[in-house]
Amino acid sequence: MANVTLNQYLREIESAWQSRSGTEVSELLSFNHPHVMSSKLITEGFEKAVERIVEAPFDEIVVLHLRCLSCINQQKYLEAYTEQSALVQAFTKIFQTQKEDNWALFIMYVISLDLRMFAIKSDKELAQRGADKPGQTLEKAAECLMGLFRVCAADNRSSDEDTKRWGMLYLVNQLLKIYFRINKLHLCKALIRAIDASQFKDQFSLSQQVTYRYYVGRKAIFESDFKSAEKFLTFAFERCHKNCRTNKRLILIYLIPVKMLLGHLPTPQLLRKYDLLQFSEVVQAVKEGNLRRLNDALVQHDAFFIRCGVYLILEKLKVTTYRNLFKKVTLLTKMYQIPIEAYHEALKFMGIEDIDLDETQCIIANLIFENKIKGYISNSHNKLVISKKDAFPSLAAIA
């Protein structure tokens, strides 16, 4: 296909369209297919050749695809995005007319993916030109994809086998990727609601379910719903194909901090296997209740944690580290009424010099409020009075 002529290409794609072969048409419209390497496709006046060989209304889509290919060959990504956007809109109109039929879903998948990729490259091009609004092309791409989503979601009359609703999750995943990239997470809510209400939500392809739960899990993190985040991200990690090591590592970058907040620390073997040793010192610091070590670990790898968007979650581990430190102090005293001074001295020993007794008492009060310590503060004696049974409940039990 790398040396295919224009006439050969046009006859092949027209034949595939007339045969209603969604997979074959999708390949011939994909920019990952070898035909894009052919120098014989973009000839002068190719539009007339398309008009002669390809029947309307599909001829418009083929013309736009070849125009887009011409722009890509010249590395004009803004123009390429414009052509691909027009292609998606032209396809949407045809797709809408195909009643009780979904053979063209594969075409929708390919052109949607390429639209998003060209939008990313266009935004990079605009940024190099000094654009003051980052992500503007991606935002337009999302509007374009929403048109396709509405067509799929509205197909209620077709049989389960022929309904376009099978394409909803793929489009939602493309949109979630865009909204996360342009930082407009509030727009995810309606999409998540639509999938949760779908009768097919557990029947979509497993790869799409994994992608969906990865993004929904990340959204739950932003909302501080760590139990839900753990559920979604665990599903994504356990069902992600074992050979997709990069994706499994990406899921773990968010799953590890969430699990740590809920009291489950990762093993050194897991961190080594997925090359996530940046978390090693954090894990050891939390386990030891060593605040100085935790602060040092966060500073040492702050660029990595900030880039991944988990720095603020790891900051929350300071509360867990306080809890683990105070548990050790309590076990050492072997008492049920422990002077606040003992905890204050422990904090100073850990390098927190600018803290007084009142602030120490405030930390303990917060731990009691969050059910991380069972007990109360006796202000008259300036002591922490702990429960004789399970004074430091497991974090997993109280999450």
Side-chain angles (χ1 to χ4, degrees):
M1 284 300 286
N3 292 312
V4 67
T5 66
L6 177 61
N7 282 350
Q8 285 172 333
Y9 171 76
L10 293 177
R11 288 193 184 96
E12 192 169 338
I13 198 168
E14 170 65 5
S15 171
W17 178 266
Q18 294 300 335
S19 304
R20 294 154 57 91
S21 174
T23 50
E24 199 175 344
V25 176
S26 69
E27 287 174 1
L28 293 168
L29 289 175
S30 169
F31 282 84
N32 289 319
H33 189 263
H35 79 271
V36 301
M37 304 301 292
S38 175
S39 59
K40 300 172 184 177
L41 288 183
I42 311 301
T43 58
E44 194 174 333
F46 68 81
E47 288 95 342
K48 288 183 179 178
V50 175
E51 197 177 315
R52 189 178 70 252
I53 297 172
V54 182
E55 287 186 18
F58 185 54
D59 60 338
E60 183 185 359
I61 287 176
V62 177
V63 166
L64 289 165
H65 174 68
L66 293 174
R67 283 182 188 163
C68 186
L69 177 57
S70 175
C71 295
I72 291 296
N73 289 341
Q74 299 170 66
Q75 295 188 322
K76 295 179 178 177
Y77 295 114
L78 273 169
E79 288 87 342
Y81 168 79
T82 302
E83 300 295 347
Q84 187 70 12
S85 176
L87 186 155
V88 170
Q89 290 173 62
F91 173 79
T92 304
K93 290 175 185 174
I94 297 172
F95 196 43
Q96 201 165 14
T97 64
Q98 295 176 339
K99 303 297 182 185
E100 299 184 16
D101 225 335
N102 66 2
W103 66 271
L105 280 175
F106 291 102
I107 304 170
M108 184 190 78
Y109 298 155
V110 164
I111 63 175
S112 300
L113 174 62
D114 285 338
L115 181 73
R116 183 173 64 84
M117 300 314 292
F118 294 153
I120 291 170
K121 289 183 176 180
S122 295
D123 279 333
K124 284 181 181 175
E125 197 174 304
L126 285 169
Q128 287 168 0
R129 295 182 189 179
D132 56 352
K133 189 184 176 188
Q136 56 185 301
T137 318
L138 272 169
E139 207 165 331
K140 290 175 187 172
E143 291 171 13
C144 209
L145 294 180
M146 277 303 297
L148 281 170
F149 178 77
R150 281 188 281 270
V151 172
C152 290
D155 189 18
N156 294 316
R157 294 185 179 181
S158 304
S159 65
D160 286 357
E161 189 179 340
D162 297 325
T163 183
K164 295 179 180 68
R165 283 179 291 162
W166 285 111
M168 286 171 64
L169 188 60
Y170 185 90
L171 290 169
V172 164
N173 286 339
Q174 294 299 318
L175 288 162
L176 290 175
K177 288 175 183 179
I178 290 174
Y179 293 148
F180 267 80
R181 195 175 183 103
I182 64 176
N183 199 24
K184 293 205 169 181
L185 301 192
H186 64 283
L187 297 174
C188 301
K189 192 174 288 185
L191 299 173
I192 293 169
R193 223 171 20 238
I195 295 301
D196 287 348
S198 171
Q199 68 186 87
F200 306 120
K201 70 175 180 179
D202 297 320
Q203 299 172 50
F204 291 110
S205 73
L206 188 57
S207 62
Q208 291 304 315
Q209 288 190 55
V210 166
T211 302
Y212 175 71
R213 282 172 170 80
Y214 164 72
Y215 281 103
V216 175
R218 283 185 60 187
K219 184 173 182 294
I221 291 173
F222 282 106
E223 294 167 349
S224 297
D225 184 359
F226 299 115
K227 280 300 265 186
S228 294
E230 181 192 30
K231 182 181 77 171
F232 293 126
L233 291 170
T234 299
F235 178 101
F237 180 74
E238 290 177 351
R239 288 164 180 78
C240 183
H241 196 280
K242 63 181 180 181
N243 294 337
C244 297
R245 183 183 171 85
T246 303
N247 287 348
K248 288 182 85 77
R249 181 180 185 271
L250 197 57
I251 296 165
L252 279 177
I253 286 172
Y254 301 97
L255 183 56
I256 286 171
V258 167
K259 278 194 167 290
M260 287 176 72
L261 280 173
L262 299 176
H264 307 289
L265 301 181
T267 63
Q269 294 91 327
L270 182 78
L271 297 179
R272 276 197 299 272
K273 181 178 178 180
Y274 289 100
D275 190 24
L276 287 170
L277 295 174
Q278 296 92 333
F279 287 101
S280 292
E281 278 295 299
V282 176
V283 172
Q284 286 305 314
V286 173
K287 190 185 289 186
E288 294 171 7
N290 191 327
L291 284 155
R292 183 186 295 164
R293 191 171 181 179
L294 177 62
N295 287 329
D296 290 346
L298 292 178
V299 169
Q300 185 183 353
H301 300 292
D302 61 352
F304 172 78
F305 295 140
I306 291 167
R307 188 174 72 250
C308 295
V310 296
Y311 187 86
L312 293 178
I313 312 171
L314 295 173
E315 278 265 308
K316 291 177 185 286
L317 286 171
K318 288 183 179 179
V319 177
T320 306
T321 310
Y322 283 132
R323 177 250 185 210
N324 292 347
L325 173 64
F326 292 171
K327 182 179 180 181
K328 288 188 173 187
V329 171
T330 304
L331 291 172
L332 284 170
T333 61
K334 297 180 181 178
M335 296 187 295
Y336 295 109
Q337 296 183 25
I338 306 98
I340 302 296
E341 180 66 36
Y343 300 112
H344 182 231
E345 288 301 318
L347 290 171
K348 288 205 293 187
F349 180 75
M350 286 298 167
I352 304 176
E353 298 290 347
D354 57 339
I355 192 166
D356 58 26
L357 276 173
D358 287 341
E359 288 170 309
T360 304
Q361 193 175 98
C362 187
I363 292 169
I364 294 169
N366 281 329
L367 289 168
I368 293 169
F369 177 76
E370 292 178 13
N371 297 317
K372 290 181 171 68
I373 297 177
K374 283 185 185 176
Y376 63 92
I377 294 171
S378 170
N379 287 311
S380 56
H381 298 95
N382 211 22
K383 289 183 177 181
L384 168 65
V385 182
I386 58 166
S387 168
K388 293 184 178 179
K389 184 182 177 185
D390 199 19
F392 290 82
S394 79
L395 296 172
I398 62 177

